[in-house]
Coordinates of all heavy atoms in Angstrom, one line a residue:
M1 N -28.3 74.1 267.3 CA -29.7 74.0 266.8 C -30.2 75.4 266.6 O -31.0 75.6 265.6 CB -30.5 73.3 267.9 CG -31.9 73.6 267.9 SD -32.8 72.2 267.2 CE -34.4 73.0 266.9
F2 N -29.9 76.4 267.4 CA -30.5 77.7 267.3 C -29.6 78.7 266.6 O -28.4 78.6 266.8 CB -30.9 78.2 268.6 CG -31.9 77.3 269.3 CD1 -31.6 76.5 270.3 CD2 -33.3 77.4 268.9 CE1 -32.5 75.6 270.9 CE2 -34.2 76.5 269.5 CZ -33.8 75.7 270.5
R3 N -30.1 79.5 265.8 CA -29.3 80.6 265.2 C -29.0 81.6 266.2 O -29.9 82.3 266.7 CB -30.1 81.1 264.0 CG -30.3 80.1 262.9 CD -30.9 80.8 261.6 NE -31.1 79.8 260.6 CZ -32.3 79.2 260.4 NH1 -33.4 79.6 261.0 NH2 -32.4 78.3 259.5
E4 N -27.8 81.9 266.4 CA -27.3 82.9 267.4 C -27.7 84.3 266.9 O -27.7 84.5 265.7 CB -25.8 82.8 267.5 CG -25.3 81.6 268.2 CD -25.8 81.5 269.6 OE1 -25.9 82.5 270.4 OE2 -26.1 80.3 270.0
G5 N -28.1 85.1 267.8 CA -28.5 86.5 267.5 C -29.9 86.6 266.8 O -30.3 87.7 266.6
T6 N -30.6 85.5 266.6 CA -31.9 85.6 266.1 C -32.9 85.5 267.2 O -32.8 84.6 268.1 CB -32.2 84.4 265.1 OG1 -31.2 84.4 264.1 CG2 -33.6 84.5 264.5
P7 N -33.8 86.5 267.3 CA -34.7 86.5 268.5 C -35.7 85.4 268.4 O -36.0 84.8 267.4 CB -35.5 87.8 268.3 CG -35.2 88.3 266.9 CD -34.0 87.6 266.4
I8 N -36.2 85.0 269.6 CA -37.2 83.9 269.8 C -38.4 84.6 270.3 O -38.3 85.4 271.3 CB -36.7 82.8 270.7 CG1 -35.6 82.0 270.0 CG2 -37.8 81.9 271.0 CD1 -35.0 81.0 270.9
A9 N -39.6 84.3 269.8 CA -40.9 84.8 270.3 C -41.3 83.9 271.5 O -41.9 82.8 271.3 CB -41.9 84.8 269.2
Y10 N -40.9 84.2 272.6 CA -41.2 83.4 273.8 C -42.6 83.4 274.2 O -43.1 82.5 274.9 CB -40.4 83.9 275.0 CG -38.9 83.8 274.8 CD1 -38.1 84.9 274.6 CD2 -38.3 82.5 274.8 CE1 -36.7 84.7 274.4 CE2 -36.9 82.3 274.6 CZ -36.1 83.5 274.4 OH -34.8 83.3 274.2
D11 N -43.4 84.4 273.7 CA -44.8 84.4 273.9 C -45.7 83.7 272.9 O -46.9 83.7 272.9 CB -45.3 85.9 274.0 CG -45.0 86.7 272.8 OD1 -44.3 86.2 271.9 OD2 -45.6 87.8 272.6
A12 N -45.0 83.0 272.0 CA -45.7 82.1 271.0 C -46.4 81.0 271.7 O -46.0 80.5 272.7 CB -44.7 81.6 270.0
P13 N -47.6 80.6 271.1 CA -48.3 79.5 271.7 C -47.5 78.2 271.6 O -46.8 78.0 270.6 CB -49.6 79.4 270.8 CG -49.7 80.7 270.1 CD -48.3 81.2 270.0
A14 N -47.6 77.4 272.6 CA -46.9 76.1 272.7 C -47.6 75.1 273.6 O -48.5 75.5 274.4 CB -45.5 76.4 273.2
E15 N -47.3 73.9 273.4 CA -47.9 72.8 274.2 C -46.7 71.9 274.7 O -45.9 71.5 273.9 CB -48.8 72.0 273.4 CG -50.1 72.7 272.9 CD -51.0 71.9 272.1 OE1 -50.5 70.8 271.5 OE2 -52.2 72.2 272.0
L16 N -46.8 71.5 275.9 CA -45.8 70.6 276.5 C -46.6 69.2 276.4 O -47.7 69.1 276.9 CB -45.5 70.9 277.9 CG -44.6 69.9 278.7 CD1 -43.2 69.8 278.0 CD2 -44.4 70.3 280.1
K17 N -45.9 68.3 275.7 CA -46.6 66.9 275.6 C -45.6 65.8 276.1 O -44.4 66.0 276.1 CB -46.9 66.7 274.1 CG -47.9 67.7 273.6 CD -48.4 67.3 272.2 CE -49.6 68.1 271.8 NZ -50.2 67.7 270.6
K18 N -46.3 64.8 276.6 CA -45.6 63.6 277.1 C -45.9 62.4 276.3 O -47.1 62.2 276.0 CB -45.9 63.4 278.6 CG -45.1 62.3 279.2 CD -45.5 62.1 280.6 CE -44.6 61.0 281.2 NZ -45.2 60.3 282.3
W19 N -44.9 61.6 276.0 CA -45.1 60.4 275.2 C -45.6 59.3 276.2 O -45.1 59.2 277.3 CB -43.8 59.9 274.6 CG -43.5 60.8 273.4 CD1 -42.8 61.9 273.4 CD2 -43.8 60.5 272.1 NE1 -42.7 62.4 272.1 CE2 -43.3 61.5 271.3 CE3 -44.6 59.5 271.5 CZ2 -43.5 61.6 269.9 CZ3 -44.8 59.5 270.1 CH2 -44.2 60.5 269.3
P20 N -46.4 58.4 275.7 CA -46.7 57.2 276.5 C -45.4 56.5 276.8 O -44.5 56.5 275.9 CB -47.6 56.4 275.6 CG -48.2 57.3 274.6 CD -47.2 58.4 274.4
S21 N -45.3 55.9 277.9 CA -44.0 55.3 278.3 C -44.2 54.0 279.1 O -45.2 53.8 279.7 CB -43.1 56.3 279.0 OG -43.7 56.6 280.2
L22 N -43.1 53.3 279.2 CA -43.0 52.1 280.0 C -41.5 52.0 280.5 O -40.6 52.0 279.7 CB -43.4 50.8 279.2 CG -43.3 49.5 280.0 CD1 -44.3 49.5 281.2 CD2 -43.6 48.3 279.1
K23 N -41.4 52.0 281.8 CA -40.0 51.9 282.4 C -39.1 53.0 281.9 O -37.9 52.7 281.6 CB -39.4 50.5 282.1 CG -40.2 49.4 282.8 CD -39.5 48.1 282.6 CE -40.4 47.0 283.2 NZ -39.9 45.6 283.0
G24 N -39.6 54.2 281.7 CA -38.8 55.3 281.3 C -38.5 55.4 279.9 O -37.7 56.3 279.5
E25 N -39.1 54.6 279.0 CA -38.8 54.6 277.6 C -40.1 55.0 276.9 O -41.2 54.6 277.2 CB -38.4 53.2 277.1 CG -37.1 52.7 277.7 CD -35.9 53.5 277.3 OE1 -35.9 53.9 276.1 OE2 -35.0 53.7 278.1
R26 N -39.9 55.8 275.8 CA -41.0 56.2 275.0 C -41.6 55.0 274.2 O -40.9 54.2 273.7 CB -40.6 57.2 273.9 CG -40.2 58.6 274.5 CD -39.9 59.5 273.4 NE -39.5 60.9 273.9 CZ -39.5 61.9 273.2 NH1 -39.7 61.9 271.9 NH2 -39.2 63.1 273.7
L27 N -42.9 55.0 274.2 CA -43.6 54.0 273.4 C -44.3 54.6 272.3 O -45.4 55.0 272.3 CB -44.7 53.3 274.3 CG -44.1 52.5 275.5 CD1 -45.3 51.9 276.3 CD2 -43.2 51.4 275.1
R28 N -43.6 54.8 271.2 CA -44.1 55.5 270.0 C -45.2 54.7 269.3 O -46.0 55.3 268.6 CB -42.9 55.7 269.0 CG -41.9 56.7 269.6 CD -40.9 57.0 268.5 NE -39.8 57.8 269.1 CZ -39.8 59.1 269.1 NH1 -40.8 59.8 268.7 NH2 -38.8 59.8 269.7
D29 N -45.3 53.4 269.6 CA -46.3 52.6 268.9 C -47.6 52.6 269.7 O -48.6 52.0 269.4 CB -45.9 51.1 268.7 CG -45.5 50.5 270.0 OD1 -45.3 51.1 271.0 OD2 -45.4 49.2 270.0
R30 N -47.7 53.3 270.9 CA -48.8 53.4 271.7 C -49.6 54.7 271.5 O -50.4 55.1 272.3 CB -48.4 53.3 273.2 CG -47.8 52.0 273.6 CD -48.9 50.9 273.8 NE -48.3 49.6 274.0 CZ -48.2 49.1 275.2 NH1 -48.5 49.7 276.2 NH2 -47.6 47.9 275.2
G31 N -49.4 55.3 270.4 CA -50.2 56.6 270.1 C -49.3 57.8 270.2 O -48.1 57.7 270.6
P32 N -49.9 58.9 269.9 CA -49.2 60.2 269.9 C -48.9 60.7 271.4 O -49.6 60.2 272.3 CB -50.1 61.1 269.2 CG -51.4 60.6 269.4 CD -51.3 59.1 269.5
P33 N -48.1 61.6 271.6 CA -47.9 62.2 272.9 C -49.2 62.9 273.3 O -49.9 63.4 272.4 CB -46.7 63.1 272.7 CG -46.7 63.5 271.3 CD -47.2 62.3 270.6
Y34 N -49.4 63.0 274.6 CA -50.6 63.7 275.1 C -50.2 65.0 275.7 O -49.1 65.2 276.2 CB -51.4 62.8 276.0 CG -50.7 62.3 277.2 CD1 -50.7 63.1 278.4 CD2 -50.0 61.1 277.2 CE1 -50.0 62.6 279.5 CE2 -49.3 60.6 278.3 CZ -49.3 61.4 279.4 OH -48.6 60.9 280.5
M35 N -51.1 66.0 275.7 CA -50.8 67.3 276.2 C -50.8 67.3 277.8 O -51.7 66.8 278.4 CB -51.8 68.4 275.8 CG -51.4 69.8 276.2 SD -52.3 71.1 275.4 CE -54.0 70.6 275.5
V36 N -49.8 68.0 278.3 CA -49.6 68.1 279.7 C -49.8 69.6 280.1 O -50.4 69.8 281.2 CB -48.2 67.7 280.2 CG1 -47.9 67.9 281.6 CG2 -48.0 66.2 279.8
Y37 N -49.4 70.5 279.3 CA -49.5 71.9 279.6 C -49.7 72.7 278.3 O -49.1 72.4 277.3 CB -48.3 72.4 280.3 CG -48.3 73.8 280.8 CD1 -49.0 74.2 281.9 CD2 -47.8 74.8 280.0 CE1 -49.0 75.5 282.3 CE2 -47.8 76.1 280.4 CZ -48.5 76.5 281.6 OH -48.5 77.8 282.0
N38 N -50.5 73.7 278.3 CA -50.8 74.6 277.2 C -50.5 76.0 277.6 O -51.1 76.5 278.6 CB -52.2 74.4 276.7 CG -52.5 75.2 275.4 OD1 -51.6 75.6 274.7 ND2 -53.8 75.3 275.2
G39 N -49.7 76.7 276.9 CA -49.4 78.1 277.3 C -48.4 78.7 276.3 O -48.5 78.4 275.1
T40 N -47.5 79.5 276.7 CA -46.5 80.2 275.9 C -45.3 79.3 275.8 O -45.1 78.4 276.6 CB -46.1 81.6 276.4 OG1 -45.4 81.4 277.6 CG2 -47.3 82.5 276.5
L41 N -44.4 79.6 274.8 CA -43.2 78.8 274.7 C -42.4 78.9 276.0 O -41.9 77.9 276.5 CB -42.4 79.3 273.5 CG -41.0 78.7 273.3 CD1 -41.1 77.2 273.2 CD2 -40.3 79.3 272.1
A42 N -42.3 80.2 276.5 CA -41.5 80.3 277.8 C -42.1 79.5 278.9 O -41.4 78.9 279.7 CB -41.4 81.8 278.1
D43 N -43.4 79.6 279.1 CA -44.1 78.8 280.1 C -43.8 77.3 280.0 O -43.6 76.6 281.0 CB -45.6 79.1 280.1 CG -45.9 80.5 280.6 OD1 -45.1 81.1 281.3 OD2 -47.0 80.9 280.3
C44 N -43.9 76.8 278.7 CA -43.7 75.4 278.5 C -42.2 75.0 278.8 O -42.0 73.9 279.4 CB -44.0 75.0 277.1 SG -45.8 75.0 276.8
V45 N -41.3 75.8 278.5 CA -39.9 75.6 278.8 C -39.7 75.5 280.4 O -39.1 74.5 280.9 CB -38.9 76.6 278.3 CG1 -37.5 76.5 278.9 CG2 -38.9 76.5 276.7
R46 N -40.3 76.4 281.1 CA -40.3 76.4 282.5 C -40.9 75.1 283.1 O -40.4 74.5 284.0 CB -40.9 77.6 283.1 CG -40.1 78.9 282.9 CD -40.8 80.0 283.7 NE -40.3 81.3 283.1 CZ -41.0 82.0 282.2 NH1 -42.2 81.7 281.8 NH2 -40.5 83.1 281.8
E47 N -42.1 74.8 282.6 CA -42.8 73.6 283.1 C -42.0 72.3 282.8 O -41.9 71.5 283.7 CB -44.1 73.4 282.3 CG -45.2 74.4 282.8 CD -45.7 74.1 284.2 OE1 -45.9 72.9 284.5 OE2 -46.0 75.1 284.9
L48 N -41.4 72.2 281.6 CA -40.6 71.1 281.3 C -39.3 71.0 282.2 O -39.0 69.9 282.8 CB -40.1 71.1 279.9 CG -39.1 70.0 279.4 CD1 -39.8 68.6 279.6 CD2 -38.7 70.2 278.0
L49 N -38.6 72.1 282.4 CA -37.4 72.0 283.2 C -37.7 71.8 284.7 O -36.8 71.5 285.5 CB -36.6 73.3 283.0 CG -36.1 73.4 281.5 CD1 -35.3 74.7 281.4 CD2 -35.3 72.2 281.1
A50 N -39.0 72.0 285.1 CA -39.4 71.7 286.5 C -39.7 70.2 286.8 O -39.8 69.8 287.9 CB -40.6 72.6 286.9
K51 N -39.7 69.4 285.7 CA -40.0 68.0 285.8 C -38.8 67.3 286.4 O -37.7 67.7 286.2 CB -40.4 67.4 284.4 CG -41.6 68.0 283.8 CD -42.8 67.6 284.5 CE -44.0 68.2 283.7 NZ -45.2 68.3 284.6
P52 N -39.0 66.1 287.0 CA -37.8 65.4 287.5 C -36.9 64.9 286.3 O -37.4 64.5 285.3 CB -38.5 64.1 288.1 CG -39.9 64.6 288.4 CD -40.3 65.6 287.4
I53 N -35.7 65.1 286.5 CA -34.7 64.8 285.4 C -34.8 63.4 284.9 O -34.6 63.1 283.7 CB -33.2 65.1 285.9 CG1 -32.3 65.2 284.7 CG2 -32.8 64.2 286.9 CD1 -32.4 66.4 283.9
K54 N -35.2 62.5 285.8 CA -35.3 61.0 285.4 C -36.2 60.8 284.2 O -36.0 60.0 283.4 CB -35.7 60.2 286.6 CG -35.7 58.7 286.4 CD -36.0 58.0 287.7 CE -36.0 56.5 287.4 NZ -36.3 55.8 288.7
G55 N -37.3 61.6 284.2 CA -38.3 61.3 283.2 C -38.4 62.4 282.1 O -39.3 62.4 281.3
I56 N -37.5 63.4 282.1 CA -37.6 64.5 281.3 C -37.5 64.2 279.8 O -38.1 64.8 278.9 CB -36.6 65.6 281.6 CG1 -37.0 67.0 281.2 CG2 -35.2 65.3 281.1 CD1 -36.2 68.1 281.8
S57 N -36.9 63.0 279.5 CA -36.7 62.6 278.1 C -38.1 62.2 277.4 O -38.1 62.0 276.2 CB -35.7 61.5 277.9 OG -36.2 60.4 278.6
L58 N -39.1 62.0 278.2 CA -40.4 61.6 277.7 C -41.2 62.8 277.2 O -42.3 62.6 276.7 CB -41.2 60.9 278.8 CG -40.5 59.7 279.4 CD1 -41.3 59.2 280.6 CD2 -40.3 58.6 278.4
Y59 N -40.7 64.0 277.3 CA -41.5 65.2 276.9 C -40.9 65.9 275.7 O -39.7 65.8 275.4 CB -41.4 66.2 278.1 CG -42.1 65.8 279.3 CD1 -41.4 65.0 280.3 CD2 -43.4 66.1 279.6 CE1 -42.1 64.6 281.4 CE2 -44.1 65.7 280.8 CZ -43.4 64.9 281.7 OH -44.0 64.5 282.8
D60 N -41.8 66.6 275.0 CA -41.5 67.5 273.9 C -42.3 68.7 274.0 O -43.4 68.7 274.6 CB -41.7 66.8 272.5 CG -40.8 65.7 272.2 OD1 -39.6 65.9 272.5 OD2 -41.2 64.7 271.5
I61 N -41.8 69.8 273.4 CA -42.6 71.0 273.3 C -43.0 71.2 271.9 O -42.1 71.2 271.0 CB -41.8 72.2 273.8 CG1 -41.5 72.1 275.3 CG2 -42.6 73.5 273.6 CD1 -40.6 73.2 275.9
M62 N -44.2 71.4 271.6 CA -44.7 71.6 270.2 C -45.1 73.1 270.1 O -45.8 73.7 270.9 CB -46.0 70.8 270.0 CG -45.9 69.4 270.4 SD -44.8 68.5 269.5 CE -45.1 66.8 270.0
T63 N -44.5 73.7 269.1 CA -44.8 75.2 268.8 C -44.6 75.4 267.3 O -44.1 74.5 266.6 CB -43.8 76.1 269.7 OG1 -44.3 77.4 269.5 CG2 -42.4 75.9 269.3
R64 N -44.9 76.6 266.9 CA -44.6 76.9 265.5 C -43.2 77.1 265.2 O -42.5 77.7 266.1 CB -45.5 78.0 265.0 CG -45.2 79.3 265.7 CD -46.0 80.4 265.1 NE -45.9 81.6 265.9 CZ -44.9 82.5 265.8 NH1 -43.9 82.3 265.0 NH2 -44.9 83.6 266.6
P65 N -42.6 76.7 264.1 CA -41.2 77.1 263.7 C -41.0 78.6 263.7 O -41.9 79.3 263.4 CB -41.1 76.5 262.4 CG -42.1 75.4 262.2 CD -43.3 75.9 263.0
Q66 N -39.8 79.0 264.1 CA -39.5 80.4 264.1 C -38.1 80.6 263.3 O -37.5 79.6 263.0 CB -39.3 80.9 265.5 CG -40.6 80.8 266.3 CD -40.4 81.5 267.7 OE1 -39.6 82.4 267.9 NE2 -41.1 81.0 268.7
A67 N -37.7 81.8 263.1 CA -36.5 82.1 262.4 C -35.3 81.5 263.2 O -34.3 81.1 262.6 CB -36.3 83.6 262.2
A68 N -35.4 81.4 264.5 CA -34.2 80.9 265.3 C -34.1 79.4 265.3 O -33.1 78.9 265.5 CB -34.4 81.4 266.7
F69 N -35.3 78.8 265.0 CA -35.3 77.3 264.9 C -36.3 76.9 263.9 O -37.4 77.4 263.8 CB -35.5 76.6 266.3 CG -36.7 77.1 267.0 CD1 -38.0 76.5 266.8 CD2 -36.7 78.1 267.9 CE1 -39.1 77.0 267.5 CE2 -37.8 78.6 268.6 CZ -39.0 78.0 268.4
E70 N -35.9 75.9 263.1 CA -36.8 75.5 262.0 C -37.8 74.4 262.3 O -38.8 74.2 261.6 CB -35.9 75.0 260.8 CG -35.0 76.1 260.3 CD -34.1 75.6 259.2 OE1 -34.1 74.4 258.9 OE2 -33.4 76.4 258.7
E71 N -37.6 73.7 263.4 CA -38.5 72.6 263.8 C -39.6 73.1 264.7 O -39.4 74.0 265.5 CB -37.7 71.5 264.5 CG -36.6 70.9 263.7 CD -37.2 70.1 262.5 OE1 -38.2 69.4 262.6 OE2 -36.6 70.2 261.4
G72 N -40.8 72.5 264.6 CA -41.9 72.8 265.5 C -41.9 71.9 266.8 O -42.8 72.1 267.6
V73 N -41.0 71.0 266.9 CA -40.9 70.1 268.0 C -39.6 70.3 268.7 O -38.5 70.1 268.1 CB -41.1 68.6 267.6 CG1 -41.0 67.7 268.8 CG2 -42.4 68.4 266.9
L74 N -39.6 70.7 269.9 CA -38.4 71.0 270.7 C -38.2 69.9 271.8 O -39.1 69.6 272.5 CB -38.5 72.4 271.3 CG -38.7 73.5 270.4 CD1 -38.9 74.8 271.1 CD2 -37.6 73.7 269.4
S75 N -37.0 69.4 271.8 CA -36.7 68.3 272.8 C -36.3 69.0 274.1 O -36.1 70.2 274.2 CB -35.5 67.6 272.3 OG -34.3 68.4 272.3
P76 N -36.2 68.2 275.2 CA -35.7 68.7 276.4 C -34.4 69.4 276.3 O -34.1 70.4 277.0 CB -35.6 67.5 277.3 CG -36.6 66.5 276.8 CD -36.6 66.8 275.3
G77 N -33.5 68.9 275.5 CA -32.2 69.6 275.3 C -32.3 70.9 274.6 O -31.7 71.9 275.0
D78 N -33.3 71.0 273.7 CA -33.6 72.3 273.1 C -34.1 73.3 274.1 O -33.8 74.5 274.1 CB -34.6 72.2 272.0 CG -34.1 71.3 270.8 OD1 -32.9 71.2 270.6 OD2 -35.0 70.7 270.1
A79 N -35.0 72.8 275.0 CA -35.6 73.6 276.0 C -34.5 74.2 276.9 O -34.5 75.3 277.3 CB -36.7 72.8 276.8
A80 N -33.6 73.3 277.3 CA -32.5 73.8 278.2 C -31.7 74.8 277.5 O -31.3 75.8 278.1 CB -31.6 72.6 278.6
E81 N -31.4 74.7 276.2 CA -30.6 75.6 275.5 C -31.4 77.0 275.4 O -30.8 78.0 275.5 CB -30.4 75.1 274.1 CG -29.4 75.9 273.3 CD -29.0 75.3 272.0 OE1 -29.1 74.1 271.8 OE2 -28.5 76.1 271.1
I82 N -32.7 76.9 275.2 CA -33.5 78.1 275.2 C -33.4 78.8 276.5 O -33.3 80.0 276.6 CB -35.0 77.8 274.8 CG1 -35.0 77.4 273.3 CG2 -35.9 79.0 275.1 CD1 -36.4 77.0 272.9
A83 N -33.6 78.1 277.6 CA -33.6 78.7 278.9 C -32.3 79.3 279.3 O -32.3 80.2 280.1 CB -33.9 77.6 280.0
M84 N -31.2 78.9 278.7 CA -29.9 79.5 279.0 C -29.6 80.8 278.2 O -28.6 81.5 278.4 CB -28.8 78.5 278.7 CG -28.8 77.4 279.7 SD -27.3 76.3 279.6 CE -27.6 75.5 278.0
R85 N -30.5 81.1 277.2 CA -30.2 82.3 276.4 C -30.4 83.6 277.3 O -31.2 83.6 278.2 CB -31.2 82.4 275.3 CG -30.9 81.4 274.2 CD -32.0 81.4 273.1 NE -32.1 82.7 272.5 CZ -31.9 83.0 271.2 NH1 -31.5 82.0 270.4 NH2 -32.2 84.2 270.7
R86 N -29.6 84.6 277.0 CA -29.7 85.8 277.8 C -31.0 86.5 277.7 O -31.4 87.1 278.7 CB -28.6 86.8 277.3 CG -27.2 86.5 277.8 CD -26.3 87.5 277.4 NE -25.1 86.9 276.9 CZ -24.2 87.4 276.2 NH1 -24.3 88.7 275.8 NH2 -23.1 86.8 275.8
D87 N -31.7 86.3 276.6 CA -33.0 87.0 276.4 C -34.2 86.2 276.9 O -35.3 86.6 276.8 CB -33.2 87.4 275.0 CG -33.3 86.2 274.0 OD1 -32.8 85.1 274.4 OD2 -33.7 86.4 272.9
F88 N -34.0 85.0 277.5 CA -35.1 84.2 278.0 C -35.7 84.9 279.2 O -35.0 85.3 280.1 CB -34.6 82.8 278.4 CG -35.7 81.9 278.9 CD1 -36.5 81.3 277.9 CD2 -35.9 81.7 280.2 CE1 -37.6 80.5 278.4 CE2 -37.0 80.9 280.6 CZ -37.8 80.3 279.7
P89 N -37.0 85.1 279.2 CA -37.7 85.8 280.3 C -37.6 84.9 281.6 O -37.9 83.8 281.6 CB -39.1 86.0 279.9 CG -39.3 85.0 278.7 CD -38.0 84.7 278.1
K90 N -37.1 85.5 282.6 CA -36.8 84.8 283.9 C -38.1 84.6 284.7 O -38.1 83.8 285.6 CB -35.8 85.5 284.7 CG -34.5 85.7 284.0 CD -33.9 84.3 283.6 CE -32.6 84.5 282.8 NZ -32.3 83.4 282.0
D91 N -39.1 85.3 284.4 CA -40.4 85.2 285.2 C -41.5 84.7 284.4 O -41.7 85.1 283.3 CB -40.8 86.5 285.9 CG -39.7 86.9 286.9 OD1 -39.4 86.1 287.8 OD2 -39.2 88.0 286.7

């Protein structure tokens, strides 16, 4: 998903959003996802990865597209991939 060697602006504004759900499944017909956290991309990645693994699939991170990734919506898998990058800020 991400272009190797392309820097990511971890300080870019981002929002962690959660989809309405029932029994652990996204309910896309029940409206848009609602904001859970507003901060930087790095902060949103940390917040998402701190959630219980059982419900993590209900979340997305919304941010502006960057050279390293073309989409403005990042899935939990994308967030994990970002967190494993060497240049990801640890604090």
Side-chain angles (χ1 to χ4, degrees):
M1 155 107 197
F2 299 102
R3 292 187 185 101
E4 292 297 321
T6 305
I8 292 177
Y10 296 110
D11 59 346
E15 296 177 339
L16 177 61
K17 293 192 174 187
K18 184 178 183 212
W19 285 89
S21 62
L22 179 65
K23 298 182 182 178
E25 297 293 324
R26 288 183 182 197
L27 297 177
R28 294 184 188 271
D29 60 342
R30 296 280 173 101
Y34 57 91
M35 186 167 48
V36 175
Y37 184 83
N38 184 17
T40 66
L41 176 57
D43 290 340
C44 286
V45 168
R46 287 187 201 99
E47 286 288 321
L48 175 60
L49 297 180
K51 301 287 182 204
I53 194 74
K54 185 176 180 180
I56 205 166
S57 65
L58 302 174
Y59 295 86
D60 286 324
I61 296 174
M62 313 295 190
T63 189
R64 64 177 170 79
Q66 298 186 30
F69 52 89
E70 296 176 0
E71 299 294 320
V73 179
L74 304 175
S75 70
D78 297 333
E81 190 174 337
I82 287 173
M84 289 187 294
R85 287 176 57 118
R86 283 187 221 161
D87 63 343
F88 184 77
K90 301 302 179 203
D91 298 303

